Amino acid sequence: MDRFVSTFTNKIDAKGRVSIPASFRAVLERDGYAGGIAGGLYCYPSLDAQALDAGGERLAKKIDGLLAGLPDYSDERDELSVALYGDVQVLSIDGDGRIVLPESLRAHAHLDAAVSFVGLGEKFQMWEPKRFEERRAEARSKIQVTRKLFAAGSRPSGDGGDEGARE
């Protein structure tokens, strides 16, 4: 599988180290992670959540593509570059599958005792576990509303049937 999927919660040790889930490490390895700075784990504060975004070369290329779509020297490109690249930490995974989370990243995501790793396909996020549970509940609530709107739009008109709508 070449996607980050599922949710795992691991403890942070006294030295600030946390184990990356084995399935996430496998995705990173297939994405070119070879250890060290070259091909490292890119990690930065999420732009819209008190969480960390992380991934490998695919994530870096996606950011490059996003920036390439903006005009050179534009304010938008500069602001996005600062927000993404300016705060990126390139982390190494040790022989035991652990990373050291720098204090600045831990502070942004309020990480103290444990980390929830949340797969999001091409990237993953790291959350404080209780905050993630709140976020998951919010997302599930919103998706129920969205799903009902999509289902309502897919119903055949005129026959009063409820095809396409699942409750």
Side-chain angles (χ1 to χ4, degrees):
M1 184 176 305
D2 289 334
R3 301 262 183 280
F4 296 104
V5 297
S6 199
T7 300
F8 305 90
T9 299
N10 293 335
K11 292 182 181 179
I12 299 173
D13 72 13
K15 296 180 181 178
R17 299 175 299 192
V18 64
S19 294
I20 301 282
S23 62
F24 286 20
R25 291 194 312 266
V27 173
L28 289 167
E29 288 171 11
R30 285 190 296 274
D31 191 26
Y33 180 83
I37 295 298
L41 172 66
Y42 298 92
C43 186
Y44 56 92
S46 173
L47 298 179
D48 56 1
Q50 291 181 336
L52 305 175
D53 286 348
E57 287 300 315
R58 276 189 303 173
L59 177 59
K61 288 177 183 175
K62 191 167 190 163
I63 293 169
D64 289 344
L66 180 65
L67 293 171
L70 297 172
D72 290 341
Y73 308 108
S74 68
D75 288 343
E76 294 82 8
R77 183 178 180 143
D78 288 347
E79 289 167 1
L80 194 56
S81 292
V82 167
L84 294 175
Y85 286 135
D87 286 334
V88 166
Q89 301 274 339
V90 182
L91 307 178
S92 295
I93 301 173
D94 72 14
D96 293 323
R98 299 172 301 192
I99 56 171
V100 175
L101 288 170
E103 183 56 38
S104 61
L105 294 177
R106 289 177 63 184
H108 173 81
H110 305 278
L111 300 174
D112 183 37
V115 178
S116 287
F117 292 85
V118 181
L120 299 176
E122 291 185 351
K123 69 178 182 178
F124 62 93
Q125 288 186 320
M126 291 180 259
W127 285 81
E128 189 282 323
K130 288 181 181 148
R131 288 177 190 264
F132 174 66
E133 288 305 321
E134 292 169 6
R135 172 66 181 113
R136 183 188 338 228
E138 177 186 339
R140 286 181 175 165
S141 175
K142 286 181 179 179
I143 200 65
Q144 290 299 319
V145 171
T146 303
R147 195 176 100 208
K148 287 177 183 176
L149 291 174
F150 284 135
S154 68
R155 289 186 178 147
S157 59
D159 69 357
D162 63 353
E163 292 177 30
R166 286 189 317 165
E167 299 298 325

